[in-house]
Amino acid sequence: MRIAVAGATGHIGALTVAGLEGGGHDVVLISRSLGVDGLTGAGLDEALEGVEAVVDVTNTAATDRAEVVASFGTITRNLLDAEHRAGVRHHVLLSIVGLDRVEGNAHYAGKREQERLVADGPVPWTIVPATQFHDFAAMVASWTERNGAATIAPLLVQPIAPSDVADILAEVAVGEPQGRYPDIAGPEPQDLVDMARRTTDVRGHRVRLIPSWSGLFDTSMAGNVLLPGGRARIAPTTFDEWLAAGAP
Ligand SMILES: NC(=O)c1ccc[n+]([C@@H]2O[C@H](COP(=O)([O-])OP(=O)(O)OC[C@H]3O[C@@H](n4cnc5c(N)ncnc54)[C@H](OP(=O)(O)O)[C@@H]3O)[C@@H](O)[C@H]2O)c1
């Protein structure tokens, strides 16, 4: 199959491209650094010629709520319009578990906008909601690190390995559109502060971690809010196995 990955140079995108190519598929890579911009639409029509399915794993660096919603919204609209023109028959969106349970977070507002546009859009779709990735804790700590210390919210999560996310996206992309896919998650719940400590240790990075609700994640995300639903698909790779592999 000819499959496009939007966000192909990103963390999940690169793994998804590798998985699809390993399965013998013809993969079209979409990202601004490769000359195709979902925000302006430049290069999209050419990139989608002959494409049957698109996997959207784009992201935005914006943190302002209106900016995040505008950015995810514009990329999604441009992608769906171009897919419609090209006759693409399956749009796969990577989303986040628990979006409707978290009102305040800007990134979640942007992801809800993506989901709304995809569900109301002209291309048959599958939305895959994932929990936080195994590398999420260290990434969050890096956002606030100053003078050897970082704050991090003590969230309860059930993280999933990035490679498992990519495997599931590749599997979904070659199949029929399924609408809302079950939540995907890793095998075990974890405490985000502990995850960050163990990841920075394995990576040999010395930083003092201070549990706090003062950052981007507030107490509306505490408790079971971020955990997967009962029908979840549980991916195999544990957080410990990912750490043992060097926390890639
Ligand atoms: N981190 C988590 O724990 C987690 C959990 C669940 C779901 N997710 C979701 O997973 C998705 C992917 O995350 P990630 O960490 O893999 O992202 P990432 O590493 O930041 O990669 C983002 C990709 O999108 C591309 N991109 C950004 N703006 C673009 C534009 N205007 N046009 C075309 N391409 C564009 C980037 O390339 P260029 O910069 O070259 O354009 C890059 O290839 C996100 O939507 C996130 O919400 C994340």
Side-chain angles (χ1 to χ4, degrees):
M1 269 176 78
R2 190 168 169 84
I3 300 169
V5 176
T9 55
H11 188 31
I12 295 299
L15 293 167
T16 306
V17 169
L20 287 166
E21 285 180 343
H25 298 286
D26 176 15
V27 186
V28 176
L29 279 57
I30 293 177
S31 84
R32 288 168 301 184
S33 54
L34 299 174
V36 188
D37 189 343
L39 273 177
T40 63
L44 276 181
D45 284 329
E46 296 80 356
L48 294 181
E49 264 174 40
V51 164
E52 292 169 78
V54 172
V55 181
D56 181 4
V57 285
T58 54
N59 207 350
T60 173
T63 50
D64 172 75
R65 187 182 179 105
E67 219 180 303
V68 177
V69 171
S71 176
F72 272 134
T74 304
I75 294 175
T76 306
R77 269 191 216 92
N78 285 338
L79 271 177
L80 292 172
D81 288 350
E83 289 171 30
H84 188 49
R85 287 192 293 275
V88 171
R89 54 180 189 78
H90 190 185
H91 181 94
V92 180
L93 171 66
L94 176 61
S95 192
I96 306 179
V97 165
L99 280 188
D100 292 334
R101 299 192 286 269
V102 178
E103 175 46 38
N105 184 281
H107 190 80
Y108 279 49
K111 298 299 288 185
R112 276 195 296 274
E113 177 70 353
Q114 270 188 318
E115 285 200 359
R116 186 183 70 75
L117 292 165
V118 169
D120 291 348
V123 182
W125 52 273
T126 307
I127 292 175
V128 180
T131 55
Q132 289 62 42
F133 307 154
H134 283 345
D135 59 295
F136 178 76
M139 179 181 72
V140 170
S142 76
W143 293 340
T144 61
E145 187 175 337
R146 301 275 180 286
N147 305 319
T151 56
I152 181 164
L155 297 173
L156 179 61
V157 297
Q158 192 166 323
I160 182 167
S163 56
D164 287 341
V165 174
D167 287 349
I168 292 171
L169 291 174
E171 177 194 310
V172 167
V174 301
E176 293 304 311
Q178 302 184 52
R180 200 166 180 84
Y181 196 79
D183 292 347
I184 64 169
E188 301 161 341
Q190 300 283 344
D191 158 6
L192 201 70
V193 183
D194 182 58
M195 283 172 70
R197 280 208 179 97
R198 296 170 67 201
T199 309
T200 50
D201 281 353
V202 162
R203 291 176 175 172
H205 180 62
R206 288 173 65 85
V207 57
R208 190 165 63 89
L209 294 168
I210 305 159
S212 166
W213 295 107
S214 64
L216 289 177
F217 305 119
D218 65 21
T219 51
S220 71
M221 299 171 87
N224 291 346
V225 165
L226 300 181
L227 297 183
R231 291 175 51 245
R233 172 170 175 179
I234 303 299
T237 311
T238 64
F239 184 65
D240 288 295
E241 286 167 341
W242 179 79
L243 285 178

